[in-house]
Amino acid sequence: MTKLQDLIAEAGKCVNCGFCESVCPTLPAAGFLSTKGARGRVDIAKFFYKDDSIDPSASFYSCVDCYACLTVCPAGVNAGKVSEIGRMILAKQGKAPEIAKMIVELTMRYKNPLGVREKCAQWARGIEFDAPETLLYTGNMYQLMAYLRKFGKLRKFFGQYEVQLASFIRKHPSSVSIFRDLYDKAMMDKMNGYLINIVKLLKQNGIKFGYLGSEEPYPGTFIYDLGFEDEFRDYARYVSELFRSKGVKRIITVDPHTYELLKYIYPRYTEFNFEVVYYMDLIGTHKISGKYAVHTPCHFSRYFDFSEYVGRMFDVNVEENPTRCCGGPDELLFPEISENISEKRFNELSKTGLPIVTACPICYANLAKDDSVTDISSILLADGERVSSASVH
């Protein structure tokens, strides 16, 4: 089937009941503009395949891919999938937003969206690693959040000229060097600390692993999410060959986006015969003391019950909901929508009066409105040290 046929098949199941609008996070965040809600996206898709002169880019690209719509749709329509297919069609037609094109081209050139691989590897200075047969793969995801926070502020500064800025960088890719020292230092320190926590947790559990340092490439999340399928196929092949050349057999991922991409999406596009695991699967589990409000990353909820997953370690009094998004996926193209979604989610979690915990760097970066939010690695490490100390005494 062609992508257009896939779009028709998915959108054609819709009975227009509107249940999806009750859970779609982008609809209220966009002021209830129907084209930026789940049903609106499906409706636009129905017309788009009949008349490709319609420009549905704002609709398809504003979807955060949380799949909340699918959980309530009686006809089984996934507006997130509709948006994903729509973005692939637009990218193929050359109709993707200018900023999307810029990010993809920079990633293909530098193997990192902002050309900052060396900076992203600095967190590991002084840490001893083993051979990379088992590889700790950060994918630069935690580290890039500090850059994206500054990038968002830069976009606001340029305002209506952001398209011109993106066009200039596309024509002069070496100009991306302006970003190398343009990051939020406090966020970078936090993210580097969380990666160090993960290293400590793995070593405490006897796991030996390597790290590629400045050779480590970004996994290509933006390329895939923005719909550039041909480019993603080439990129996935590059990453796969790099791992193979290093003798990698098992890959330890540290975030839900990279876990999903390597375990479920890469094998569709290239030969990817590596074992992919999430680091929490490799550490000892016991009940964590205290109670927390746990935010569920959308990309974990697609493949397993995250509430059961964290229930092995956290008290049963856990506030989590797999249909509530942090707004992160819209940060690049629709920062206002992203901010509205994250503010709402943060307020929901704050009302519990509990410390807020997440297991995703994107979720953390969007929800970290104050010091009540932390990465799950901090909780796991602190509790493990408490248990060890108690056993000694």
Side-chain angles (χ1 to χ4, degrees):
M1 290 178 68
T2 66
K3 291 300 177 187
L4 191 56
Q5 289 171 325
D6 289 340
L7 187 71
I8 295 168
E10 189 65 32
K13 297 184 292 185
C14 177
V15 295
N16 240 278
C17 67
F19 287 179
C20 56
E21 296 193 332
S22 68
V23 295
C24 179
T26 58
L27 184 62
F32 291 94
L33 183 63
S34 62
T35 56
K36 290 181 180 174
R39 181 166 63 172
R41 295 184 179 103
V42 176
D43 285 342
I44 283 177
K46 294 175 183 176
F47 289 101
F48 177 55
Y49 79 82
K50 296 178 183 177
D51 180 5
D52 64 7
S53 66
I54 295 172
D55 181 9
S57 58
S59 184
F60 292 155
Y61 278 96
S62 62
C63 176
V64 290
D65 297 332
C66 64
Y67 289 8
C69 49
L70 183 60
T71 66
V72 298
C73 180
V77 180
N78 187 343
K81 185 178 179 182
V82 167
S83 298
E84 289 168 12
I85 299 169
R87 292 194 294 265
M88 288 179 181
I89 294 172
L90 289 171
K92 181 82 76 173
Q93 294 175 342
K95 296 178 180 178
E98 195 70 11
I99 291 179
K101 294 176 182 176
M102 178 196 79
I103 290 294
V104 170
E105 290 174 10
L106 290 175
T107 305
M108 297 297 292
R109 177 183 287 266
Y110 296 111
K111 309 304 184 260
N112 178 286
L114 296 174
V116 291
R117 275 201 290 176
E118 294 80 8
K119 287 279 189 178
C120 287
Q122 288 183 359
W123 70 273
R125 286 182 298 187
I127 298 176
E128 292 187 12
F129 294 97
D130 297 289
E133 182 171 304
T134 292
L135 180 71
L136 177 68
Y137 181 53
T138 77
N140 303 168
M141 292 293 285
Y142 273 83
Q143 306 93 306
L144 280 169
M145 295 304 103
Y147 287 95
L148 292 179
R149 177 163 283 193
K150 280 285 189 179
F151 183 68
K153 292 179 180 178
L154 185 66
R155 286 187 63 201
K156 288 181 181 178
F157 175 78
F158 279 94
Q160 61 181 317
Y161 301 106
E162 65 178 34
V163 173
Q164 289 89 334
L165 173 64
S167 297
F168 176 83
I169 294 175
R170 287 183 66 201
K171 291 175 184 175
H172 308 280
S174 62
S175 65
V176 76
S177 61
I178 64 172
F179 294 116
R180 287 181 184 149
D181 293 309
L182 197 65
Y183 59 87
D184 186 302
K185 186 179 185 306
M187 177 67 73
M188 183 66 85
D189 289 344
K190 285 274 189 182
M191 293 303 190
N192 288 349
Y194 295 147
L195 290 172
I196 291 170
N197 289 347
I198 292 169
V199 166
K200 289 179 179 178
L201 285 164
L202 290 169
K203 288 193 173 188
Q204 284 175 1
N205 284 270
I207 309 298
K208 294 184 180 297
F209 51 90
Y211 174 58
L212 296 181
S214 60
E215 287 187 89
E216 180 184 73
Y218 173 73
T221 310
F222 274 141
I223 303 175
Y224 182 79
D225 288 349
L226 293 170
F228 289 74
E229 195 172 28
D230 292 339
E231 290 83 351
F232 180 74
R233 181 177 288 105
D234 291 341
Y235 194 85
R237 287 172 180 163
Y238 162 79
V239 174
S240 181
E241 286 303 318
L242 176 64
F243 289 162
R244 201 169 287 113
S245 72
K246 299 294 183 181
V248 175
K249 290 186 170 46
R250 180 168 70 163
I251 302 167
I252 303 173
T253 60
V254 299
D255 73 274
H257 291 264
T258 303
Y259 175 80
E260 176 193 37
L261 207 66
L262 268 57
K263 191 172 182 69
Y264 299 103
I265 299 175
Y266 263 51
R268 301 180 202 164
Y269 290 90
T270 189
E271 181 184 353
F272 199 75
N273 52 356
F274 306 96
E275 180 188 1
V276 179
V277 298
Y278 178 51
Y279 83 92
M280 282 175 59
D281 286 325
L282 300 177
I283 64 177
T285 60
H286 57 269
K287 283 294 181 182
I288 303 293
S289 60
K291 296 179 180 179
Y292 298 88
V294 180
H295 169 78
T296 297
C298 302
H299 286 254
F300 272 156
S301 297
R302 294 183 184 186
Y303 301 104
F304 52 82
D305 182 357
F306 193 72
S307 60
E308 186 278 330
Y309 196 77
V310 298
R312 286 185 271 135
M313 288 169 277
F314 285 88
D315 195 313
V316 292
N317 187 2
V318 171
E319 198 289 325
E320 70 88 24
N321 187 323
T323 66
R324 293 176 183 167
C325 181
C326 72
D330 267 3
E331 179 66 30
L332 181 65
L333 298 177
F334 297 92
E336 296 82 7
I337 293 178
S338 176
E339 178 60 27
N340 290 341
I341 294 173
S342 67
E343 195 70 41
K344 180 181 179 182
R345 183 57 176 150
F346 173 75
N347 290 336
E348 289 172 344
L349 292 162
S350 292
K351 285 178 182 177
T352 65
L354 301 172
I356 301 169
V357 178
T358 185
C360 171
I362 297 176
C363 295
Y364 174 84
N366 277 269
L367 295 174
K369 312 294 185 185
D370 61 29
D371 292 337
S372 67
V373 185
T374 191
D375 185 81
I376 197 169
S377 63
S378 292
I379 308 300
L380 296 174
L381 185 64
D383 200 75
E385 290 174 348
R386 180 191 62 80
V387 171
S388 297
S389 176
S391 64
V392 170
H393 294 92

